[in-house]
Amino acid sequence: MKHGVRIGLLVLLTALVAVGAVFVRQSLDGPTVAAAEESSDAVHAPRPQVVDREAAVHLAARYLVTNGDTRGRFLYKVNLDPAVAVADDYNVLRHAGSVYALATYEERFPNERTRGRLRHACSFLVRECIRTVPDSDDLRAVWSTPENSSVDEPQCKLGGTGLGLVALLSVERVAPDTTPRETLRSLGRFLLFMQKSDGAFHSKYLPREGGRWDAWESLYYPGEAALGLVMLDEYDPDPRWHGAAVAALEYLARKRHGAELVEADHWALLATARLFREPERMPADVRERLLDHARQ
């Protein structure tokens, strides 16, 4: 899409903000650069300008806060040439990732307007994307459908539920009780249901294929699921959540052990970093394996 913007790209801000690599001196309400002074809720084509990374963080947050619809979705695509028609599609995984990024921002720069957008975005996720899994009353998942993703049939992607859990739990930190605790637990139970005995995961739940399906493997889904489980354990302490997260990362460590070139799996790194907030909960040999994996 020429001269376009997708909200999924803004998820990259999370890695910067979450590890404290960006030290920003101004708030969402404060001045940044000329483009940030726009008060309208509509997107305007910006004039070319140089923006430092501190200002860029605030501009990205401002975009997410001020560009959304009444359902709670973000404005997914923009083309700076108004003559170019933009398809009305969406991606629920990028929605969840953007909620995570914005909630991370809110932790550092509290603002009621940001919290309002976050609550609205969570409402969309819970109301329109989270449903029970067939033949189960206690498992819920984030469903990708033709209405919210580029798929031909309804399905549950492991990464969708992992990121959905990350998003909702991130908002719980800044706006408690936005999502019912039982909803969060049911998403965690779905991740456990999708995990294999060796710590790996089925990538998708496809009703047409009879349920769990792993003929295709995603690079990022296991780390996203692990991060969701670690955060769920922080919110709702339970050995099941912690154990499943450790098993997922141990599987990735075994799979990549000895490799000279390892994929840039930032979700696994984020999950590992959170696990090491309480390293005493893991045996020494497990800690060393996960550290070796992180070094790779």
Side-chain angles (χ1 to χ4, degrees):
M1 182 179 62
K2 187 177 181 181
H3 304 306
V5 177
R6 292 174 183 263
I7 63 172
L9 298 178
L10 296 170
V11 178
L12 295 177
L13 288 171
T14 303
L16 290 174
V17 180
V19 300
V22 179
F23 299 93
V24 189
R25 294 185 295 270
Q26 298 160 309
S27 73
L28 184 67
D29 289 332
T32 50
V33 292
E37 295 302 313
E38 296 286 356
S39 60
S40 170
D41 283 352
V43 170
H44 299 274
R47 289 171 292 183
Q49 57 190 298
V50 176
V51 181
D52 64 33
R53 69 176 181 177
E54 294 185 358
V57 169
H58 290 301
L59 287 170
R62 185 177 293 272
Y63 177 91
L64 290 174
V65 169
T66 58
N67 291 283
D69 63 19
T70 57
R71 293 166 59 190
R73 301 185 307 174
F74 298 102
L75 182 59
Y76 183 62
K77 286 183 181 178
V78 178
N79 196 298
L80 302 184
D81 181 353
V84 176
V86 177
D88 183 25
D89 56 7
Y90 206 65
N91 187 306
V92 67
L93 274 74
R94 289 174 177 165
H95 177 93
S98 297
V99 170
Y100 175 37
L102 189 59
T104 303
Y105 176 88
E106 167 64 16
E107 281 199 74
R108 287 150 179 78
F109 307 101
N111 183 285
E112 181 53 41
R113 192 180 185 193
T114 306
R115 291 192 292 277
R117 171 56 64 190
L118 287 168
R119 293 188 190 97
H120 205 32
C122 288
S123 175
F124 165 77
L125 190 59
V126 173
R127 183 184 66 252
E128 299 195 30
C129 305
I130 294 178
R131 301 201 304 271
T132 57
V133 175
D135 301 322
S136 173
D137 293 330
D138 66 344
L139 301 182
R140 291 186 180 89
V142 173
W143 285 79
S144 294
T145 67
E147 290 74 37
N148 68 29
S149 300
S150 299
V151 296
D152 297 326
E153 59 183 322
Q155 56 192 265
C156 304
K157 299 178 180 179
L158 176 74
T161 298
L163 276 183
L165 195 52
V166 167
L168 295 173
L169 288 166
S170 296
V171 174
E172 285 301 302
R173 294 173 63 89
V174 298
D177 301 322
T178 296
T179 304
R181 184 177 294 265
E182 182 52 31
T183 297
L184 299 169
R185 287 173 172 163
S186 68
L187 294 174
R189 290 193 292 268
F190 176 77
L191 296 180
L192 298 185
F193 169 72
M194 295 291 282
Q195 191 169 38
K196 304 177 184 179
S197 59
D198 62 357
F201 289 97
H202 298 272
S203 293
K204 293 184 179 183
Y205 183 96
L206 288 172
R208 173 175 51 83
E209 297 292 336
R212 292 174 290 192
W213 183 83
D214 61 359
W216 169 81
E217 186 175 299
S218 167
L219 167 61
Y220 297 127
Y221 286 3
E224 291 165 344
L227 180 59
L229 288 164
V230 176
M231 293 177 67
L232 182 58
D233 182 61
E234 294 171 352
Y235 168 81
D236 179 52
D238 188 319
R240 293 179 300 166
W241 316 138
H242 185 270
V246 172
L249 293 173
E250 278 203 278
Y251 171 80
L252 294 177
R254 292 194 303 271
K255 179 182 177 183
R256 294 163 175 165
H257 181 69
E260 292 184 7
L261 182 65
V262 172
E263 305 92 338
D265 188 351
H266 57 283
W267 294 109
L269 285 174
L270 289 167
T272 301
R274 293 191 85 109
L275 276 177
F276 272 82
R277 292 178 178 182
E278 297 183 286
E280 69 281 356
R281 295 182 67 185
M282 296 178 286
D285 60 328
V286 173
R287 294 199 300 267
E288 192 56 39
R289 278 197 295 273
L290 296 190
L291 284 175
D292 285 343
H293 179 233
R295 293 186 190 105
Q296 285 181 283

